[in-house]
Amino acid sequence: MPEQRVDLLAIAAHRDDVELTCGGTLAKAAQAGHRVGILDLTQGESGTRGDAATRGAEAERAAKALGVQLRLNAGLPDAHLQNDEPSRVRLVELIRATRPRVVILPYPVGRHPDHRIASELGRDACYLAGLAKYGPAGEAHRPFKVLYALAYREDPVKPSFVVDISGTFETKMAAIRCYASQFDGAKAAGEIHPTGQDLYQLIRVQSAHYGSLIRRAYGEPFFTHETIEVQDVLQLGVQSL
Ligand SMILES: [Zn+2]
């Protein structure tokens, strides 16, 4: 069995979700030498376009494009995701096997019910994975940090921080373009509402907007419930005036 331990694990409902919301951040972390993994909760069997087998092959190509070391699939039911005991047990197993320090989850509010449920299910499983006497096999492990990918959300929530993905934006786009069955000719996807523009152009515009918030070309926004710690105010970036 290949080494499954990672430093950073992105968990999301559907293949292609993490590419859309945090692909640039994953590629950047991998380039920095961290071990990065993706855990897709479902296989996309209920998707309107394509089928599970096609999306599986696309997901593998996208993982290679991003440069991540590991891509797992929990095999939970697409469009019927539940935060129930069997699903939590399955995720706890996978979190204990991969032992990430940082986990990226979908934002707790979303258009697609699977996105909302993946967020809650992922957070609960991160906590439960740290309880030594909980459920299935595997040594207890609780991720240190949980981040929520905030991209495309229209809720009045300010990002806790934005990752500068100027250096990996084209890598993110290359990974997204692996999902031709989903996205070629599409005008919307996931949490991205249509404006009439081509989807790839829409992602570029949105990423440029998030980048502008930190005075960079492209960015990906995140939310944390916790306050971010700063040790030296002289090192703070982003010009105020
Ligand atoms: Zn999705």
Side-chain angles (χ1 to χ4, degrees):
M1 193 163 88
E3 171 62 39
Q4 293 208 312
R5 293 190 181 212
V6 294
D7 303 304
L8 172 62
L9 182 66
I11 302 175
H14 312 115
R15 291 160 164 162
D16 73 31
D17 284 356
V18 304
E19 285 83 356
L20 293 171
T21 62
C22 61
T25 300
L26 299 182
K28 185 171 187 171
Q31 285 179 13
H34 302 299
R35 280 189 59 82
V36 180
I38 296 169
L39 171 55
D40 304 306
L41 297 183
T42 72
Q43 298 186 332
E45 69 275 12
S46 298
T48 308
R49 293 160 164 246
D51 54 40
T54 305
R55 296 187 75 177
E58 291 174 337
E60 277 309 306
R61 285 201 298 278
K64 281 202 179 69
L66 291 176
V68 305
Q69 285 88 350
L70 185 72
R71 185 163 210 152
L72 301 173
N73 196 290
L76 299 176
D78 184 20
H80 301 275
L81 212 51
Q82 298 285 330
N83 182 9
D84 57 12
E85 184 66 10
S87 303
R88 287 191 291 268
V89 165
R90 178 80 183 115
L91 252 72
V92 165
E93 268 176 4
L94 292 166
I95 289 166
R96 286 176 176 170
T98 51
R99 312 187 80 71
R101 175 175 169 83
V102 178
V103 168
I104 298 175
L105 296 175
Y107 190 65
V109 184
R111 282 169 82 201
H112 196 309
D114 279 358
H115 295 172
R116 298 198 299 269
I117 293 161
S119 184
E120 180 186 89
L121 172 61
R123 187 176 180 93
D124 288 352
C126 284
Y127 183 84
L128 294 170
L131 296 180
K133 291 182 180 172
Y134 179 84
E139 189 191 342
H141 173 80
R142 184 168 296 149
F144 177 75
K145 197 80 187 160
V146 172
L147 310 177
Y148 294 97
L150 192 58
Y152 319 117
R153 294 299 317 153
E154 296 174 357
D155 319 270
V157 174
K158 203 172 162 65
S160 303
F161 62 91
V162 172
V163 175
D164 174 11
I165 61 159
S166 306
T168 53
F169 178 73
E170 297 305 334
T171 301
K172 170 190 175 90
M173 291 308 294
I176 289 170
R177 287 178 188 279
C178 290
Y179 294 93
S181 79
Q182 299 300 301
F183 297 148
D184 275 7
K187 303 289 185 194
E191 300 295 320
I192 309 173
H193 290 269
T195 64
Q197 287 167 295
D198 174 77
L199 176 69
Y200 302 121
Q201 178 62 16
L202 205 42
I203 295 166
R204 186 175 293 274
V205 167
Q206 296 259 11
S207 302
H209 166 66
Y210 297 124
S212 76
L213 299 177
I214 55 167
R215 325 296 183 234
R216 305 286 181 190
Y218 296 106
E220 284 173 341
F222 293 88
F223 174 80
T224 62
H225 287 292
E226 311 80 47
T227 301
I228 306 282
E229 176 189 44
V230 170
Q231 291 288 351
D232 182 352
V233 293
L234 275 308
Q235 297 299 320
L236 283 168
V238 187
Q239 188 173 347
S240 298
L241 302 173

